[in-house]
Every structure is written in structure tokens, then in C-alpha cells.
Amino acid sequence: MSAIAETPAISIVEVGPRDGLQILKSILPTAHKKRWIAAAASAGVREIEVCSFVPAAVVPGMADADEIVRYARTIAGLQVIALAPNVKGAAAAFAAGAHKVTMPISVSVQHNLANIRKTHAQSIDELRRVIDLRDQQPKASRPAVEIGLSTSFGCSIAGAVPLEDVLRLAEKCLATGADHVTPADTIGIANPAQVKRVYAALYGAFGKAKIGGSHFHDTRGQGMANALAALEAGVTSFDASLAGLGGCPFAPGASGNICTEDLAWMLEEMGLSTGIDLAKLLACRDILKDGMPNEKLSGHLAEVGLARTQSGGRVAAAR
Ligand code: ZN
């Protein structure tokens, strides 16, 4: 191993158009979603979870999922991700051209039953059907299937979630054919020490290549500390949401995912390249303000701006 630390390429995955929007009362118009996705890509975001293929009766804001994926696929170089809770959603996501489908399965059985009305055995059966369908796609353009291991760090219903349960479900998902699994802090209850334990265990059991990335919510204000702990554990891919969009059904007023622009600033200031132009990224917030004037936007960087940086303005400089 080289003694000289290499600068890893960090990927920030914008999940706001899915995780951020799905819980809001406001519906962001389709045209605004397209502008946001295009603007984020133009700011250097290379992966975006653009929508969720769920019934419009359940989540009215995702009724345009097919149109959004097809639009996002026209943006060169952009990795287009869609969430699908079942084989019906996955089929629609594959047909629209998603590069990757994320399927949530909660480590907590109670949460899985409440969220997608399935036992673990039923979820694994559903995953098997999704994998069969994936394997029928043309090899050259075959999408990836990633499992979001919801409630990996704690559950709003069951309480503490044992690490052995995370490992057991991860093992089942990978054995069934999932390309990756990602532990998700669905309710924003993780702490940095736990984050390091969970990643060390997952990397040790399955190898780094099988663990997708990270997914933190900032419900208790620990999101950035948890992201830093994940970084130190070796994680190089981070889900985040512009303006910390979203929320938590169990904590009214709480912010949603960790804030994309604050995370990008931290990583860039640490000397890690995200490929993101922060000024352009901050400007994306105007699209949200315009499309959803009643929604609260979070984020510290937006409050203070880019005028002062430890790196002498490197991150704000034109690229
Ligand atoms: Zn989430």
C-alpha cells in the first residue's frame, strides 16, 4: 500500500427529486423537475435518483416518473436512478431506461410490513422476480439493481436494529442477485461510531464492491457527522438532497436527507474532488423556490454564500 494518500473521486448522488419530493405536500411541476435535473447535471452532479415508480394514488408527485426518466436519459453522462418498491415498478423503470433501480427492503420486519406490506420472505421473492426481469434486459444496457437496506441504523417502530440483522438481509439480497446493497439511515438516527461499525462489518463480510454507498437523513442534525464517519470508513458515494429537501413523517419540521450543497462544500474544502461547481449547484435552489414557493429550503451554505472558503475560493472559482 502506498504511504501517500490518494485523493478519491467522490460521487454525490442527488436524491432530492425522489426522496426529497415524495414526502412534501407541494407537487413540483414536471417542467421544474426537468429544469432541476438538467441544472444539477450541468453543475457536475453525475448521478441523480430522479423519481419513484409507485402508484400515483399513493404518491401523486411521482405520477410523471416515466416522462422524467426518459427526459433524464437524454442528458449525456448522467447516471439515471429510479426507485421501485416491486417488480411492477421495476418493469416500468427498466422500460423507461433507468440505468439503476433502487428497491427498498427494511431490515426491521415491522417497518417493512408498514412501508411495503411485505415480510422479508415476500420481499426476497419480489427481488427474485426483479432480478429475473433484469437478466432479460439486453446485456449491453442491462440496468443495475441496488437494495436500499432501510432502517439499517434504527427503526421508528422496532427501535434498535441489530447489526446481525443488517448482515443477514444483505447476504440474502446479494445471494438473490442484487448488484449492490446500501445501508440506509431512513429515520436519521445513526451516530458516527455506529456508521463506522456498520460499514466495517459490511465491507468485511461482502467486500467493498458489493456495498453501494450511503444514505443519511439529518433528522437529528447528525447527517454531516455520519457522512464524515462513512468517508473515513471508506465510503465514496453519498446520497444527498438539494436544500436538504424532504422530511420525516415521524418528526414534523425535521429536514430531510443531508444537504447536497453543504456536503459538497465540506468535501471540496477537505480537498476531495466531487466534480461539482458549487455556485451552479446553489443556483438550482431557485428552481425549487419558483416551483414550490411554500416549501422550506434548508442548507447552511445558501445562508452564508461562497464568499469565504479555507481553500481560498478554489471551490467557488469558475471551472
Ligand atoms: Zn431516505
Side-chain angles (χ1 to χ4, degrees), residues 40-54:
S42 151
V45 177
R46 285 159 293 172
E47 297 180 76
I48 305 181
E49 190 166 270
V50 296
C51 65
S52 174
F53 283 87
V54 287

Side-chain angles (χ1 to χ4, degrees), residues 17 62 85 88 90 106 133 140 165 167 180 192-193 218 233 241 243 265 275-276 294 296:
M62 294 292 144
K88 190 179 175 205
S106 303
L133 195 63
D165 291 3
L167 294 172
H180 311 103
D218 199 33
S241 185
W265 190 89
I276 288 174
N294 297 322
K296 176 184 162 240

Side-chain angles (χ1 to χ4, degrees), residues 15 18-20 22 49 184-187 215-217 239 247 256-257:
V15 297
R18 195 281 299 174
D19 208 357
Q22 71 178 9
E49 190 166 270
D185 186 18
T186 313
I187 63 164
H215 186 96
F216 297 113
H217 281 250
D239 289 1
N257 294 91

Side-chain angles (χ1 to χ4, degrees), residues 47-206:
E47 297 180 76
I48 305 181
E49 190 166 270
V50 296
C51 65
S52 174
F53 283 87
V54 287
V58 180
V59 188
M62 294 292 144
D64 54 7
D66 181 78
E67 184 179 347
I68 291 296
V69 169
R70 287 178 197 277
Y71 170 75
R73 279 300 314 269
T74 65
I75 300 170
L78 181 66
Q79 179 82 0
V80 179
I81 307 166
L83 184 137
N86 50 37
V87 70
K88 190 179 175 205
F94 292 160
H99 294 111
K100 182 160 95 179
V101 167
T102 304
M103 184 176 161
I105 304 179
S106 303
V107 179
S108 151
V109 179
Q110 292 97 317
H111 191 274
N112 205 48
L113 285 165
N115 194 36
I116 47 178
R117 297 187 204 91
K118 282 185 171 61
T119 63
H120 277 168
Q122 288 168 330
S123 274
I124 294 297
D125 282 347
E126 193 77 19
L127 172 60
R128 195 167 290 119
R129 286 190 279 273
V130 171
I131 296 300
D132 286 347
L133 195 63
R134 176 202 66 189
D135 292 345
Q136 290 164 29
Q137 309 303 310
K139 218 167 190 177
S141 59
R142 191 167 291 170
V145 173
E146 179 165 312
I147 299 299
L149 298 169
S150 307
T151 68
S152 280
F153 300 88
C155 172
S156 50
I157 308 165
V161 171
L163 182 50
E164 304 82 70
D165 291 3
V166 179
L167 294 172
R168 199 175 308 121
L169 182 60
E171 202 280 328
K172 274 188 200 156
C173 294
L174 292 170
T176 306
D179 295 286
H180 311 103
V181 295
T182 286
D185 186 18
T186 313
I187 63 164
I189 200 166
N191 67 73
Q194 180 189 21
V195 167
K196 289 192 175 177
R197 278 198 304 275
V198 167
Y199 277 98
L202 285 168
Y203 287 166
F206 310 109

